[in-house]
Amino acid sequence: MYRRRAARAVALGSVVAALSACGGGDDEPTSDDAARWDAVDPCTLADEATLDPLLRADVGNGTPVEADERRSCTWGRPETLNTVTVTTTDTAAPDKPLRIIEVLGKEGRALAESKYQCILEFTTDSGTLLIDTTFGLDAVADPDTSCNRSVPLAEHSLTLLHWA
């Protein structure tokens, strides 16, 4: 467990350092600091603190998936229908949003929202961030049936990307 946390901390520190190196030392990120969607490992955009409230099982390290024009990382156990997938891509989904969610002053779109699943999408000039959460059996016990449960993870990811 310690090795996983240490590896995660090192990976997260590397991403933060790489993203910070783009800036001129200001505390406030600018659009020039924003990471391109294909320059970031999506497995570094979530941490144990942001995943724990969304997953019933051990968070684990995440499973990376790379494809043309998108990069993803999935945590959780698909067999229990309880997963979180963070994806970066260069194109937004053509879907009409169910509602607009504001996170850190950035307008996002809820593409799916029920007690069983949430898909949030945030689009910038640097790319698109998708957060797909399936709540599985936890949906039966948790009274929150909205994408609001995924907002802390969106805040964390957007901050690391400097997209907010």
Side-chain angles (χ1 to χ4, degrees):
M1 182 76 163
Y2 175 75
R3 284 185 179 184
R4 279 194 302 205
R5 284 187 182 166
R8 229 184 264 140
V10 168
L12 183 58
S14 298
V15 168
V16 171
L19 293 174
S20 297
C22 296
D26 295 336
D27 289 339
E28 292 296 316
T30 66
S31 60
D32 293 339
D33 294 333
R36 280 192 36 86
W37 72 270
D38 55 351
V40 176
D41 176 1
C43 290
T44 63
L45 297 178
D47 61 12
E48 194 168 347
T50 56
L51 291 170
D52 271 346
L54 302 172
L55 297 171
R56 293 181 62 96
D58 181 30
V59 170
N61 291 328
T63 304
V65 177
E66 287 196 39
D68 289 340
E69 299 181 22
R70 74 180 1 201
R71 302 174 85 194
S72 300
C73 190
T74 300
W75 295 265
R77 297 177 49 205
E79 65 273 10
T80 63
L81 303 174
N82 186 208
T83 60
V84 174
T85 301
V86 174
T87 301
T88 57
T89 183
D90 67 341
T91 57
D95 304 335
K96 182 179 177 186
L98 298 174
R99 73 178 172 116
I100 301 299
I101 283 188
E102 188 173 314
V103 175
L104 299 174
K106 181 78 182 150
E107 195 172 273
R109 303 179 331 140
L111 301 178
E113 184 172 35
S114 73
K115 71 187 296 179
Y116 300 105
Q117 182 181 29
C118 167
I119 300 175
L120 291 177
E121 177 188 74
F122 298 88
T123 301
T124 70
D125 292 339
S126 299
T128 297
L129 171 70
L130 285 160
I131 298 174
D132 183 344
T133 307
T134 56
F135 299 114
L137 300 176
D138 185 48
V140 176
D142 196 314
D144 187 352
T145 61
S146 71
C147 283
N148 295 342
R149 294 174 70 183
S150 298
V151 166
L153 175 56
E155 290 174 344
H156 180 78
S157 299
L158 288 168
T159 299
L160 288 176
L161 290 165
H162 295 281
W163 287 6

